[in-house]
Amino acid sequence: MVSIHRVFIHRQALHAPVADRFRRAFPDAEFVPVPGEQALHAGPANRHAVYIGPRSAPFVDLFRPPRGILCAPF
């Protein structure tokens, strides 16, 4: 089971459908609005965190994460 403690979410993605799905899936997680991905580099790394950014492409393509990285396959 995946354990998510904190969800960093870009302000432009606050009301995105994927953000709502994360809220339902991880009701105990802390949701932290951030102005952009750059804000994540300022703090310590967190293995139990997720970043949701605004959609910048017209579609999502299949993604195969590098070995040893846990990531959604898109």
Side-chain angles (χ1 to χ4, degrees):
M1 174 106 183
V2 175
S3 177
I4 300 296
H5 299 162
R6 187 171 292 141
V7 178
F8 295 100
I9 182 165
H10 192 285
R11 291 181 182 146
Q12 291 179 359
L14 283 172
H15 305 291
V18 68
D20 292 335
R21 288 194 296 272
F22 267 86
R23 286 185 188 96
R24 285 191 302 273
F26 304 101
D28 296 329
E30 174 187 10
F31 282 77
V32 181
V34 294
E37 187 176 344
Q38 302 82 0
L40 303 178
H41 301 292
N46 188 334
R47 292 180 57 156
H48 298 280
V50 168
Y51 171 69
I52 299 174
R55 186 173 179 177
S56 59
F59 63 92
V60 176
D61 198 6
L62 184 62
F63 170 72
R64 299 221 190 306
R67 185 180 200 124
I69 301 294
L70 177 64
C71 186
F74 56 83

Short mmCIF file of all heavy atoms in Angstrom, two decimals:
data_model
loop_
_atom_site.label_atom_id
_atom_site.label_comp_id
_atom_site.label_asym_id
_atom_site.label_seq_id
_atom_site.Cartn_x
_atom_site.Cartn_y
_atom_site.Cartn_z
N MET A 1 0.84 -1.18 0.00
CA MET A 1 0.00 0.00 0.00
C MET A 1 0.88 1.25 0.00
O MET A 1 1.82 1.35 0.77
CB MET A 1 -0.88 -0.03 1.26
CG MET A 1 -1.70 1.20 1.44
SD MET A 1 -3.36 0.76 1.04
CE MET A 1 -4.19 2.26 1.20
N VAL A 2 0.56 2.18 -0.84
CA VAL A 2 1.30 3.43 -0.94
C VAL A 2 0.86 4.36 0.19
O VAL A 2 -0.33 4.50 0.48
CB VAL A 2 1.04 4.11 -2.31
CG1 VAL A 2 1.70 5.45 -2.38
CG2 VAL A 2 1.52 3.21 -3.42
N SER A 3 1.83 5.00 0.82
CA SER A 3 1.55 5.92 1.92
C SER A 3 1.96 7.33 1.50
O SER A 3 3.13 7.61 1.32
CB SER A 3 2.33 5.49 3.16
OG SER A 3 2.13 6.40 4.19
N ILE A 4 0.98 8.19 1.31
CA ILE A 4 1.22 9.58 0.92
C ILE A 4 0.88 10.46 2.12
O ILE A 4 -0.24 10.42 2.63
CB ILE A 4 0.35 9.98 -0.29
CG1 ILE A 4 0.65 9.10 -1.50
CG2 ILE A 4 0.55 11.45 -0.62
CD1 ILE A 4 2.05 9.22 -2.04
N HIS A 5 1.87 11.22 2.58
CA HIS A 5 1.65 12.10 3.73
C HIS A 5 1.40 13.55 3.33
O HIS A 5 0.74 14.29 4.03
CB HIS A 5 2.86 12.06 4.67
CG HIS A 5 3.10 10.70 5.22
ND1 HIS A 5 4.30 10.33 5.77
CD2 HIS A 5 2.32 9.59 5.30
CE1 HIS A 5 4.24 9.08 6.16
NE2 HIS A 5 3.05 8.61 5.88
N ARG A 6 1.98 13.95 2.20
CA ARG A 6 1.88 15.35 1.78
C ARG A 6 1.72 15.40 0.27
O ARG A 6 2.40 14.69 -0.46
CB ARG A 6 3.14 16.10 2.20
CG ARG A 6 3.06 17.59 1.96
CD ARG A 6 4.23 18.32 2.59
NE ARG A 6 4.10 18.21 4.04
CZ ARG A 6 5.12 18.03 4.86
NH1 ARG A 6 6.33 17.93 4.42
NH2 ARG A 6 4.92 17.95 6.16
N VAL A 7 0.81 16.26 -0.17
CA VAL A 7 0.58 16.47 -1.60
C VAL A 7 0.85 17.94 -1.88
O VAL A 7 0.12 18.82 -1.42
CB VAL A 7 -0.86 16.09 -2.01
CG1 VAL A 7 -1.07 16.36 -3.49
CG2 VAL A 7 -1.16 14.64 -1.67
N PHE A 8 1.93 18.20 -2.62
CA PHE A 8 2.22 19.56 -3.08
C PHE A 8 1.43 19.74 -4.37
O PHE A 8 1.52 18.92 -5.28
CB PHE A 8 3.71 19.73 -3.34
CG PHE A 8 4.54 19.62 -2.10
CD1 PHE A 8 5.20 18.44 -1.80
CD2 PHE A 8 4.66 20.68 -1.21
CE1 PHE A 8 5.97 18.32 -0.65
CE2 PHE A 8 5.42 20.57 -0.07
CZ PHE A 8 6.08 19.39 0.21
N ILE A 9 0.67 20.81 -4.44
CA ILE A 9 -0.19 21.00 -5.60
C ILE A 9 -0.04 22.43 -6.12
O ILE A 9 -0.16 23.40 -5.37
CB ILE A 9 -1.65 20.66 -5.26
CG1 ILE A 9 -2.55 20.79 -6.47
CG2 ILE A 9 -2.15 21.45 -4.09
CD1 ILE A 9 -3.89 20.13 -6.29
N HIS A 10 0.28 22.53 -7.40
CA HIS A 10 0.42 23.83 -8.06
C HIS A 10 -0.92 24.56 -7.96
O HIS A 10 -1.99 23.94 -8.09
CB HIS A 10 0.81 23.62 -9.52
CG HIS A 10 1.25 24.87 -10.20
ND1 HIS A 10 0.37 25.85 -10.59
CD2 HIS A 10 2.47 25.30 -10.55
CE1 HIS A 10 1.04 26.83 -11.16
NE2 HIS A 10 2.32 26.52 -11.15
N ARG A 11 -0.86 25.84 -7.73
CA ARG A 11 -2.10 26.63 -7.57
C ARG A 11 -3.03 26.51 -8.77
O ARG A 11 -4.25 26.57 -8.62
CB ARG A 11 -1.75 28.08 -7.30
CG ARG A 11 -1.13 28.26 -5.93
CD ARG A 11 -0.80 29.70 -5.65
NE ARG A 11 -0.16 29.80 -4.34
CZ ARG A 11 0.77 30.66 -4.04
NH1 ARG A 11 1.17 31.54 -4.93
NH2 ARG A 11 1.30 30.68 -2.84
N GLN A 12 -2.48 26.33 -9.96
CA GLN A 12 -3.31 26.19 -11.16
C GLN A 12 -4.00 24.83 -11.22
O GLN A 12 -4.92 24.64 -12.01
CB GLN A 12 -2.48 26.41 -12.42
CG GLN A 12 -2.00 27.82 -12.60
CD GLN A 12 -1.16 27.97 -13.85
OE1 GLN A 12 -0.91 27.02 -14.58
NE2 GLN A 12 -0.70 29.18 -14.10
N ALA A 13 -3.56 23.88 -10.41
CA ALA A 13 -4.13 22.53 -10.44
C ALA A 13 -4.99 22.23 -9.22
O ALA A 13 -5.42 21.10 -9.03
CB ALA A 13 -3.00 21.51 -10.55
N LEU A 14 -5.26 23.24 -8.39
CA LEU A 14 -6.02 23.02 -7.16
C LEU A 14 -7.37 22.35 -7.39
O LEU A 14 -7.82 21.54 -6.58
CB LEU A 14 -6.24 24.34 -6.41
CG LEU A 14 -5.04 24.88 -5.65
CD1 LEU A 14 -5.33 26.28 -5.12
CD2 LEU A 14 -4.67 23.95 -4.51
N HIS A 15 -8.03 22.66 -8.48
CA HIS A 15 -9.37 22.13 -8.74
C HIS A 15 -9.39 21.14 -9.89
O HIS A 15 -10.47 20.83 -10.41
CB HIS A 15 -10.34 23.29 -9.00
CG HIS A 15 -10.35 24.29 -7.88
ND1 HIS A 15 -10.86 24.00 -6.62
CD2 HIS A 15 -9.85 25.54 -7.78
CE1 HIS A 15 -10.70 25.04 -5.84
NE2 HIS A 15 -10.09 26.00 -6.51
N ALA A 16 -8.25 20.62 -10.25
CA ALA A 16 -8.17 19.63 -11.33
C ALA A 16 -8.78 18.30 -10.86
O ALA A 16 -8.72 17.97 -9.68
CB ALA A 16 -6.71 19.42 -11.73
N PRO A 17 -9.35 17.54 -11.77
CA PRO A 17 -9.93 16.24 -11.39
C PRO A 17 -8.92 15.32 -10.69
O PRO A 17 -9.29 14.61 -9.75
CB PRO A 17 -10.38 15.65 -12.73
CG PRO A 17 -10.63 16.84 -13.60
CD PRO A 17 -9.60 17.85 -13.18
N VAL A 18 -7.67 15.34 -11.10
CA VAL A 18 -6.69 14.47 -10.46
C VAL A 18 -6.47 14.89 -9.01
O VAL A 18 -6.27 14.04 -8.13
CB VAL A 18 -5.36 14.44 -11.25
CG1 VAL A 18 -4.64 15.77 -11.18
CG2 VAL A 18 -4.46 13.33 -10.74
N ALA A 19 -6.55 16.17 -8.70
CA ALA A 19 -6.41 16.64 -7.32
C ALA A 19 -7.56 16.13 -6.47
O ALA A 19 -7.36 15.69 -5.33
CB ALA A 19 -6.35 18.16 -7.29
N ASP A 20 -8.77 16.14 -7.03
CA ASP A 20 -9.93 15.62 -6.30
C ASP A 20 -9.78 14.12 -6.03
O ASP A 20 -10.13 13.65 -4.95
CB ASP A 20 -11.22 15.88 -7.07
CG ASP A 20 -11.57 17.35 -7.14
OD1 ASP A 20 -11.14 18.12 -6.25
OD2 ASP A 20 -12.27 17.74 -8.10
N ARG A 21 -9.25 13.38 -6.99
CA ARG A 21 -9.03 11.94 -6.79
C ARG A 21 -8.01 11.69 -5.69
O ARG A 21 -8.17 10.78 -4.88
CB ARG A 21 -8.62 11.27 -8.10
CG ARG A 21 -9.78 11.19 -9.09
CD ARG A 21 -9.49 10.26 -10.24
NE ARG A 21 -8.40 10.69 -11.08
CZ ARG A 21 -8.52 11.49 -12.13
NH1 ARG A 21 -9.71 11.96 -12.46
NH2 ARG A 21 -7.48 11.82 -12.85
N PHE A 22 -6.96 12.50 -5.63
CA PHE A 22 -5.96 12.36 -4.56
C PHE A 22 -6.57 12.68 -3.20
O PHE A 22 -6.28 12.03 -2.21
CB PHE A 22 -4.74 13.25 -4.83
CG PHE A 22 -3.64 12.54 -5.55
CD1 PHE A 22 -3.64 12.47 -6.93
CD2 PHE A 22 -2.60 11.93 -4.86
CE1 PHE A 22 -2.63 11.81 -7.61
CE2 PHE A 22 -1.59 11.27 -5.52
CZ PHE A 22 -1.60 11.21 -6.90
N ARG A 23 -7.43 13.70 -3.15
CA ARG A 23 -8.08 14.05 -1.88
C ARG A 23 -8.94 12.89 -1.36
O ARG A 23 -8.98 12.62 -0.16
CB ARG A 23 -8.93 15.31 -2.04
CG ARG A 23 -8.10 16.57 -2.13
CD ARG A 23 -9.00 17.82 -2.16
NE ARG A 23 -8.20 18.98 -2.42
CZ ARG A 23 -8.03 19.52 -3.64
NH1 ARG A 23 -8.62 18.99 -4.69
NH2 ARG A 23 -7.27 20.58 -3.80
N ARG A 24 -9.64 12.22 -2.28
CA ARG A 24 -10.47 11.08 -1.87
C ARG A 24 -9.61 9.88 -1.50
O ARG A 24 -9.92 9.17 -0.54
CB ARG A 24 -11.44 10.70 -3.00
CG ARG A 24 -12.60 11.66 -3.15
CD ARG A 24 -13.68 11.12 -4.07
NE ARG A 24 -13.20 10.79 -5.41
CZ ARG A 24 -13.13 11.64 -6.43
NH1 ARG A 24 -13.50 12.90 -6.25
NH2 ARG A 24 -12.70 11.26 -7.60
N ALA A 25 -8.54 9.64 -2.23
CA ALA A 25 -7.70 8.47 -1.99
C ALA A 25 -6.84 8.62 -0.74
O ALA A 25 -6.53 7.62 -0.08
CB ALA A 25 -6.80 8.21 -3.21
N PHE A 26 -6.44 9.85 -0.41
CA PHE A 26 -5.55 10.10 0.74
C PHE A 26 -6.15 11.20 1.62
O PHE A 26 -5.60 12.30 1.71
CB PHE A 26 -4.15 10.48 0.25
CG PHE A 26 -3.54 9.46 -0.66
CD1 PHE A 26 -3.53 9.65 -2.03
CD2 PHE A 26 -3.00 8.30 -0.14
CE1 PHE A 26 -2.98 8.70 -2.88
CE2 PHE A 26 -2.45 7.34 -0.97
CZ PHE A 26 -2.44 7.53 -2.34
N PRO A 27 -7.26 10.92 2.30
CA PRO A 27 -7.95 11.96 3.07
C PRO A 27 -7.13 12.50 4.25
O PRO A 27 -7.39 13.61 4.71
CB PRO A 27 -9.22 11.27 3.57
CG PRO A 27 -8.90 9.81 3.53
CD PRO A 27 -7.93 9.62 2.40
N ASP A 28 -6.15 11.76 4.72
CA ASP A 28 -5.33 12.22 5.85
C ASP A 28 -4.08 12.98 5.42
O ASP A 28 -3.35 13.49 6.27
CB ASP A 28 -4.92 11.04 6.73
CG ASP A 28 -6.13 10.37 7.38
OD1 ASP A 28 -7.12 11.08 7.65
OD2 ASP A 28 -6.08 9.16 7.60
N ALA A 29 -3.85 13.06 4.12
CA ALA A 29 -2.65 13.75 3.62
C ALA A 29 -2.82 15.26 3.76
O ALA A 29 -3.93 15.80 3.69
CB ALA A 29 -2.40 13.39 2.16
N GLU A 30 -1.69 15.93 3.94
CA GLU A 30 -1.67 17.39 3.98
C GLU A 30 -1.55 17.90 2.55
O GLU A 30 -0.65 17.48 1.82
CB GLU A 30 -0.48 17.87 4.81
CG GLU A 30 -0.30 19.36 4.80
CD GLU A 30 0.98 19.80 5.50
OE1 GLU A 30 1.83 18.95 5.83
OE2 GLU A 30 1.13 21.01 5.68
N PHE A 31 -2.44 18.78 2.13
CA PHE A 31 -2.39 19.36 0.78
C PHE A 31 -1.80 20.75 0.89
O PHE A 31 -2.35 21.61 1.58
CB PHE A 31 -3.79 19.39 0.15
CG PHE A 31 -4.20 18.04 -0.38
CD1 PHE A 31 -4.63 17.06 0.49
CD2 PHE A 31 -4.11 17.75 -1.72
CE1 PHE A 31 -4.98 15.80 0.03
CE2 PHE A 31 -4.47 16.50 -2.20
CZ PHE A 31 -4.90 15.52 -1.32
N VAL A 32 -0.67 20.96 0.20
CA VAL A 32 0.09 22.20 0.32
C VAL A 32 0.11 22.90 -1.04
O VAL A 32 0.76 22.43 -1.98
CB VAL A 32 1.54 21.91 0.77
CG1 VAL A 32 2.31 23.21 0.91
CG2 VAL A 32 1.55 21.10 2.06
N PRO A 33 -0.60 24.03 -1.20
CA PRO A 33 -0.53 24.78 -2.46
C PRO A 33 0.86 25.40 -2.61
O PRO A 33 1.42 25.94 -1.66
CB PRO A 33 -1.59 25.87 -2.31
CG PRO A 33 -2.42 25.48 -1.14
CD PRO A 33 -1.57 24.61 -0.27
N VAL A 34 1.42 25.30 -3.82
CA VAL A 34 2.73 25.90 -4.11
C VAL A 34 2.63 26.69 -5.41
O VAL A 34 1.81 26.38 -6.27
CB VAL A 34 3.84 24.82 -4.22
CG1 VAL A 34 4.08 24.15 -2.89
CG2 VAL A 34 3.52 23.79 -5.28
N PRO A 35 3.46 27.73 -5.56
CA PRO A 35 3.40 28.55 -6.77
C PRO A 35 3.98 27.86 -7.99
O PRO A 35 3.72 28.26 -9.12
CB PRO A 35 4.22 29.79 -6.40
CG PRO A 35 5.13 29.34 -5.33
CD PRO A 35 4.41 28.26 -4.57
N GLY A 36 4.76 26.82 -7.79
CA GLY A 36 5.36 26.10 -8.91
C GLY A 36 6.29 25.01 -8.42
O GLY A 36 6.56 24.88 -7.22
N GLU A 37 6.78 24.24 -9.35
CA GLU A 37 7.67 23.13 -9.02
C GLU A 37 8.96 23.60 -8.34
O GLU A 37 9.54 22.89 -7.52
CB GLU A 37 8.01 22.36 -10.30
CG GLU A 37 8.78 21.10 -10.08
CD GLU A 37 9.01 20.33 -11.36
OE1 GLU A 37 8.34 20.59 -12.37
OE2 GLU A 37 9.90 19.47 -11.35
N GLN A 38 9.40 24.82 -8.64
CA GLN A 38 10.62 25.35 -8.05
C GLN A 38 10.53 25.39 -6.53
O GLN A 38 11.53 25.24 -5.84
CB GLN A 38 10.93 26.77 -8.58
CG GLN A 38 11.07 26.85 -10.07
CD GLN A 38 9.73 26.95 -10.79
OE1 GLN A 38 8.66 26.94 -10.19
NE2 GLN A 38 9.77 27.00 -12.11
N ALA A 39 9.35 25.58 -5.98
CA ALA A 39 9.17 25.65 -4.53
C ALA A 39 9.53 24.33 -3.86
O ALA A 39 9.89 24.30 -2.69
CB ALA A 39 7.73 26.03 -4.19
N LEU A 40 9.46 23.22 -4.59
CA LEU A 40 9.78 21.92 -4.01
C LEU A 40 11.26 21.76 -3.78
O LEU A 40 11.67 21.02 -2.89
CB LEU A 40 9.29 20.80 -4.93
CG LEU A 40 7.81 20.82 -5.27
CD1 LEU A 40 7.49 19.68 -6.21
CD2 LEU A 40 6.96 20.75 -4.03
N HIS A 41 12.08 22.43 -4.55
CA HIS A 41 13.53 22.29 -4.44
C HIS A 41 14.09 23.04 -3.23
O HIS A 41 15.22 22.81 -2.83
CB HIS A 41 14.21 22.78 -5.72
CG HIS A 41 13.76 22.02 -6.93
ND1 HIS A 41 14.07 20.69 -7.13
CD2 HIS A 41 13.02 22.40 -7.99
CE1 HIS A 41 13.53 20.29 -8.27
NE2 HIS A 41 12.88 21.29 -8.81
N ALA A 42 13.28 23.90 -2.62
CA ALA A 42 13.76 24.70 -1.49
C ALA A 42 13.76 23.92 -0.18
O ALA A 42 14.51 24.22 0.72
CB ALA A 42 12.88 25.94 -1.34
N GLY A 43 12.91 22.89 -0.08
CA GLY A 43 12.81 22.14 1.17
C GLY A 43 13.47 20.78 1.09
O GLY A 43 14.02 20.40 0.05
N PRO A 44 13.42 20.04 2.20
CA PRO A 44 14.02 18.70 2.21
C PRO A 44 13.20 17.72 1.37
O PRO A 44 12.00 17.92 1.17
CB PRO A 44 13.99 18.32 3.69
CG PRO A 44 12.88 19.13 4.26
CD PRO A 44 12.85 20.41 3.47
N ALA A 45 13.85 16.68 0.89
CA ALA A 45 13.16 15.65 0.11
C ALA A 45 12.20 14.89 1.02
O ALA A 45 12.44 14.73 2.21
CB ALA A 45 14.18 14.70 -0.50
N ASN A 46 11.12 14.44 0.46
CA ASN A 46 10.13 13.69 1.22
C ASN A 46 9.70 12.50 0.40
O ASN A 46 9.09 12.65 -0.66
CB ASN A 46 8.93 14.58 1.56
CG ASN A 46 7.97 13.92 2.52
OD1 ASN A 46 7.88 12.70 2.58
ND2 ASN A 46 7.25 14.72 3.26
N ARG A 47 9.99 11.30 0.88
CA ARG A 47 9.66 10.08 0.15
C ARG A 47 8.17 9.80 0.12
O ARG A 47 7.71 9.00 -0.67
CB ARG A 47 10.39 8.91 0.77
CG ARG A 47 11.88 8.98 0.57
CD ARG A 47 12.55 7.82 1.19
NE ARG A 47 11.99 6.60 0.61
CZ ARG A 47 12.60 5.45 0.57
NH1 ARG A 47 13.79 5.33 1.08
NH2 ARG A 47 12.02 4.41 0.03
N HIS A 48 7.42 10.42 0.98
CA HIS A 48 5.98 10.17 1.05
C HIS A 48 5.19 11.38 0.57
O HIS A 48 4.16 11.73 1.12
CB HIS A 48 5.59 9.82 2.50
CG HIS A 48 6.25 8.59 2.99
ND1 HIS A 48 5.80 7.33 2.68
CD2 HIS A 48 7.35 8.41 3.75
CE1 HIS A 48 6.59 6.44 3.24
NE2 HIS A 48 7.55 7.07 3.89
N ALA A 49 5.71 12.02 -0.47
CA ALA A 49 5.07 13.22 -1.01
C ALA A 49 4.83 13.07 -2.51
O ALA A 49 5.48 12.28 -3.18
CB ALA A 49 5.94 14.45 -0.76
N VAL A 50 3.88 13.85 -2.98
CA VAL A 50 3.50 13.86 -4.40
C VAL A 50 3.39 15.32 -4.83
O VAL A 50 3.01 16.18 -4.03
CB VAL A 50 2.14 13.15 -4.59
CG1 VAL A 50 1.57 13.39 -5.96
CG2 VAL A 50 2.26 11.67 -4.33
N TYR A 51 3.73 15.57 -6.08
CA TYR A 51 3.52 16.91 -6.65
C TYR A 51 2.52 16.80 -7.79
O TYR A 51 2.67 15.95 -8.67
CB TYR A 51 4.83 17.50 -7.17
CG TYR A 51 4.65 18.78 -7.96
CD1 TYR A 51 4.25 19.95 -7.34
CD2 TYR A 51 4.85 18.80 -9.33
CE1 TYR A 51 4.08 21.12 -8.06
CE2 TYR A 51 4.68 19.97 -10.06
CZ TYR A 51 4.29 21.12 -9.42
OH TYR A 51 4.12 22.28 -10.13
N ILE A 52 1.50 17.65 -7.77
CA ILE A 52 0.52 17.71 -8.86
C ILE A 52 0.69 19.07 -9.51
O ILE A 52 0.52 20.11 -8.86
CB ILE A 52 -0.92 17.55 -8.34
CG1 ILE A 52 -1.09 16.19 -7.66
CG2 ILE A 52 -1.91 17.71 -9.48
CD1 ILE A 52 -2.44 16.01 -6.99
N GLY A 53 1.04 19.07 -10.79
CA GLY A 53 1.23 20.31 -11.53
C GLY A 53 0.15 20.51 -12.56
O GLY A 53 -0.65 19.62 -12.84
N PRO A 54 0.10 21.71 -13.13
CA PRO A 54 -0.89 21.97 -14.17
C PRO A 54 -0.58 21.16 -15.42
O PRO A 54 0.59 20.86 -15.70
CB PRO A 54 -0.77 23.47 -14.43
CG PRO A 54 0.61 23.81 -13.99
CD PRO A 54 0.96 22.85 -12.90
N ARG A 55 -1.58 20.81 -16.13
CA ARG A 55 -1.40 20.05 -17.36
C ARG A 55 -0.86 20.98 -18.43
O ARG A 55 -1.46 22.01 -18.75
CB ARG A 55 -2.74 19.46 -17.79
CG ARG A 55 -2.64 18.56 -18.97
CD ARG A 55 -3.97 17.90 -19.21
NE ARG A 55 -3.89 17.04 -20.37
CZ ARG A 55 -4.86 16.30 -20.79
NH1 ARG A 55 -6.01 16.30 -20.14
NH2 ARG A 55 -4.72 15.55 -21.85
N SER A 56 0.29 20.62 -18.99
CA SER A 56 0.91 21.49 -19.99
C SER A 56 0.86 20.90 -21.40
O SER A 56 1.21 21.57 -22.36
CB SER A 56 2.36 21.79 -19.60
OG SER A 56 3.09 20.59 -19.51
N ALA A 57 0.45 19.65 -21.52
CA ALA A 57 0.38 19.01 -22.83
C ALA A 57 -1.09 18.67 -23.13
O ALA A 57 -1.88 18.46 -22.21
CB ALA A 57 1.23 17.74 -22.85
N PRO A 58 -1.45 18.58 -24.39
CA PRO A 58 -2.84 18.27 -24.72
C PRO A 58 -3.21 16.81 -24.43
O PRO A 58 -4.37 16.46 -24.47
CB PRO A 58 -2.93 18.57 -26.22
CG PRO A 58 -1.53 18.44 -26.71
CD PRO A 58 -0.65 18.85 -25.57
N PHE A 59 -2.24 15.96 -24.13
CA PHE A 59 -2.53 14.56 -23.83
C PHE A 59 -1.45 14.01 -22.91
O PHE A 59 -0.39 14.60 -22.75
CB PHE A 59 -2.59 13.74 -25.12
CG PHE A 59 -1.29 13.70 -25.86
CD1 PHE A 59 -0.37 12.68 -25.63
CD2 PHE A 59 -0.97 14.68 -26.79
CE1 PHE A 59 0.85 12.66 -26.32
CE2 PHE A 59 0.24 14.66 -27.46
CZ PHE A 59 1.15 13.65 -27.22
N VAL A 60 -1.73 12.88 -22.32
CA VAL A 60 -0.77 12.21 -21.46
C VAL A 60 -0.27 10.98 -22.22
O VAL A 60 -1.06 10.25 -22.81
CB VAL A 60 -1.42 11.79 -20.13
CG1 VAL A 60 -0.45 11.00 -19.27
CG2 VAL A 60 -1.90 13.02 -19.39
N ASP A 61 1.01 10.75 -22.19
CA ASP A 61 1.60 9.63 -22.90
C ASP A 61 2.12 8.61 -21.90
O ASP A 61 2.37 8.93 -20.74
CB ASP A 61 2.76 10.14 -23.77
CG ASP A 61 3.13 9.16 -24.87
OD1 ASP A 61 2.44 8.14 -25.03
OD2 ASP A 61 4.12 9.42 -25.57
N LEU A 62 2.31 7.39 -22.33
CA LEU A 62 2.82 6.33 -21.48
C LEU A 62 4.25 6.64 -21.08
O LEU A 62 5.07 7.05 -21.89
CB LEU A 62 2.77 5.00 -22.22
CG LEU A 62 3.20 3.77 -21.42
CD1 LEU A 62 2.27 3.58 -20.22
CD2 LEU A 62 3.15 2.54 -22.29
N PHE A 63 4.54 6.46 -19.80
CA PHE A 63 5.87 6.74 -19.25
C PHE A 63 6.36 5.51 -18.52
O PHE A 63 5.64 4.92 -17.73
CB PHE A 63 5.80 7.93 -18.28
CG PHE A 63 7.05 8.15 -17.49
CD1 PHE A 63 8.18 8.66 -18.10
CD2 PHE A 63 7.11 7.84 -16.16
CE1 PHE A 63 9.34 8.88 -17.38
CE2 PHE A 63 8.26 8.06 -15.42
CZ PHE A 63 9.37 8.57 -16.04
N ARG A 64 7.58 5.11 -18.79
CA ARG A 64 8.18 3.99 -18.08
C ARG A 64 9.28 4.55 -17.19
O ARG A 64 10.32 4.98 -17.66
CB ARG A 64 8.77 3.00 -19.07
CG ARG A 64 7.71 2.40 -20.00
CD ARG A 64 7.91 0.94 -20.22
NE ARG A 64 7.12 0.31 -21.24
CZ ARG A 64 5.82 0.33 -21.38
NH1 ARG A 64 5.10 1.04 -20.59
NH2 ARG A 64 5.20 -0.32 -22.33
N PRO A 65 9.02 4.58 -15.87
CA PRO A 65 10.01 5.18 -14.94
C PRO A 65 11.30 4.38 -14.91
O PRO A 65 11.30 3.17 -15.17
CB PRO A 65 9.30 5.13 -13.59
CG PRO A 65 8.22 4.13 -13.73
CD PRO A 65 7.85 4.07 -15.16
N PRO A 66 12.41 5.03 -14.61
CA PRO A 66 13.68 4.32 -14.48
C PRO A 66 13.62 3.28 -13.37
O PRO A 66 12.84 3.40 -12.43
CB PRO A 66 14.68 5.43 -14.13
CG PRO A 66 14.01 6.70 -14.44
CD PRO A 66 12.53 6.45 -14.36
N ARG A 67 14.46 2.28 -13.46
CA ARG A 67 14.50 1.21 -12.46
C ARG A 67 14.75 1.80 -11.06
O ARG A 67 15.58 2.67 -10.89
CB ARG A 67 15.63 0.24 -12.82
CG ARG A 67 15.67 -0.95 -11.91
CD ARG A 67 16.81 -1.87 -12.31
NE ARG A 67 16.53 -3.15 -11.76
CZ ARG A 67 16.45 -4.27 -12.45
NH1 ARG A 67 16.66 -4.26 -13.73
NH2 ARG A 67 16.16 -5.40 -11.86
N GLY A 68 13.98 1.33 -10.09
CA GLY A 68 14.14 1.79 -8.72
C GLY A 68 13.31 3.02 -8.37
O GLY A 68 13.30 3.45 -7.23
N ILE A 69 12.59 3.58 -9.35
CA ILE A 69 11.77 4.77 -9.11
C ILE A 69 10.31 4.35 -9.14
O ILE A 69 9.86 3.72 -10.10
CB ILE A 69 12.03 5.85 -10.18
CG1 ILE A 69 13.48 6.27 -10.21
CG2 ILE A 69 11.09 7.04 -9.98
CD1 ILE A 69 13.95 6.99 -8.97
N LEU A 70 9.57 4.69 -8.11
CA LEU A 70 8.14 4.42 -8.05
C LEU A 70 7.42 5.63 -8.61
O LEU A 70 7.53 6.73 -8.08
CB LEU A 70 7.69 4.15 -6.61
CG LEU A 70 6.21 3.92 -6.41
CD1 LEU A 70 5.78 2.65 -7.13
CD2 LEU A 70 5.91 3.80 -4.93
N CYS A 71 6.73 5.43 -9.71
CA CYS A 71 6.08 6.54 -10.38
C CYS A 71 4.87 6.01 -11.16
O CYS A 71 4.90 4.87 -11.64
CB CYS A 71 7.07 7.20 -11.34
SG CYS A 71 6.45 8.69 -12.11
N ALA A 72 3.85 6.83 -11.28
CA ALA A 72 2.69 6.44 -12.08
C ALA A 72 3.15 6.24 -13.53
O ALA A 72 3.96 7.01 -14.04
CB ALA A 72 1.62 7.51 -12.00
N PRO A 73 2.66 5.20 -14.20
CA PRO A 73 3.13 4.88 -15.55
C PRO A 73 2.49 5.73 -16.65
O PRO A 73 1.91 5.21 -17.57
CB PRO A 73 2.78 3.40 -15.69
CG PRO A 73 1.55 3.25 -14.87
CD PRO A 73 1.73 4.19 -13.70
N PHE A 74 2.54 7.04 -16.50
CA PHE A 74 2.05 7.90 -17.59
C PHE A 74 2.84 9.15 -17.66
O PHE A 74 3.64 9.46 -16.81
CB PHE A 74 0.57 8.24 -17.43
CG PHE A 74 0.20 8.86 -16.14
CD1 PHE A 74 0.37 10.23 -15.95
CD2 PHE A 74 -0.31 8.11 -15.10
CE1 PHE A 74 0.01 10.82 -14.76
CE2 PHE A 74 -0.66 8.70 -13.91
CZ PHE A 74 -0.50 10.05 -13.73
#
